[in-house]
Amino acid sequence: MIPVNEPLLTGREMEFVEECVRTGWISSAGRFIEEFEAHWAAYCGMQHGIAVSNGTTALQIAVESLNLKPDDEVILPSFTIISCVLAVLYNEAVPVLVDVDPSTYCLDVAQLEARITPRTRAIMPVHIYGHPVDMDPVLAIAKRHGLVVIEDAAEAHGAEYLSGHDGPSPVWRRCGGLGDLSTFSFYANKLITTGEGGMVLTNDGTVAERLKSLRNLSFRSEQRFLHTELGHNFRLTNMQAAIGVAQVERIDEIVARKRWMGQRYTERLSGLPWLQLPTEMPWARSVYWMYGLVIHDDTGMDAVEFAQRLRAEGVDTRPFFLGMHEQPVLLNRGLFSGEQYPVSERISRQGLYLPSGLALTEGQMDHVCEAVRQVLS
Ligand SMILES: Cc1ncc(COP(=O)(O)O)c(C=O)c1O
């Protein structure tokens, strides 16, 4: 079976982890933590990185740093992982959904402003499957309404956005360097992995200090065991950061490989009339984190059946996210009752992603494409 993802740890990961073990720096202090934070923040064009235990806790403390009050609202896409909604709910605020764009599967910016109310405090755009959100209009709307933008870049390491693309001097900027705050996941299926791990990025030194305190039980620098705020243990270990530093050394190679893989899949699969392939907007350089296929309704096949038939051909896949407004746990809490987001609903039902990991060989990619062709013939 060709797996959806296998991590590729072919750089200095082992050497750096060995150093942690040899020197005894195995916990959450040590040189690799700071190096990882500094390297990743610089790569994304941000000043401060705060490494945490995973992408969900990164979102949680990013939202916490906004000091929201109950009933304050955060706008986010319906089509995303539950971590985004959890981060809002754990801060006792209210998640408000927007449907997604039918070609990028990212938050539909044309529908965004209509969701703003006097209680809106922040917008959380999510770069889905490695393709950037159209950030210019998001940032313009946020500025007009005095809102904070938390970019969830968990799936978009190294993806780039042509900032100012409708203006006179557009510039390519990396995802994770576009909002007020951004968050990453370094789970094993991500472009950069630390096994489990995450990071928040910001340009604001005061916010960075607060985030460092929140991840570490809110110890205070002046008097260690005096607490004035409820904190968390969201620390990353030096050993995980050691893997991260080795991974970041190879980021250009990783991004180039992922872009090549995405383009190769597109070349091989385009022309099949029943499929929607991932797009790449002219203002975007996608990293094709996961190569998604949306199968047309008129095939009479949904993603579950498509996945079963691919599995029979030796190809493993994963279903697309299920919209937040279709989650029993959220509906049971009285959230999103009666709300409908047609694009999100359709792609959840009809979408899956193909094996996309860095360890995938060309031969395996050919096998996957042949299997897709077979199933659809
Ligand atoms: C968009 C997005 N945000 C947040 C997360 C959460 O990251 P983690 O699994 O590291 O908690 C993920 C995980 O895949 C994700 O895809």
Side-chain angles (χ1 to χ4, degrees), residues 54-56 59 80-81 83 126 152 154-155 185 187 190 197 321:
N54 54 63
T56 306
L59 282 166
T80 185
I81 195 162
S83 308
V126 184
D152 183 347
E155 304 180 356
S185 163
Y187 184 65
K190 299 303 188 301
F321 294 125

Side-chain angles (χ1 to χ4, degrees), residues 33 256 269 305:
I33 298 272
L269 296 173
E305 186 184 342

Side-chain angles (χ1 to χ4, degrees), residues 61-70 72 91 93 121 207 210 214 229:
I61 59 168
V63 174
E64 196 167 347
S65 76
L66 308 185
N67 300 316
L68 300 182
K69 293 190 290 299
D72 280 351
N91 282 287
R121 295 288 168 265
V207 171
R210 171 107 191 281
L214 284 171
E229 187 168 41

Side-chain angles (χ1 to χ4, degrees), residues 104-127:
T104 63
Y105 314 145
C106 294
L107 181 145
D108 184 350
V109 291
Q111 299 187 41
L112 176 57
E113 206 156 14
R115 302 298 279 152
I116 294 177
T117 75
R119 294 178 302 283
T120 309
R121 295 288 168 265
I123 307 169
M124 186 188 285
V126 184
H127 308 296

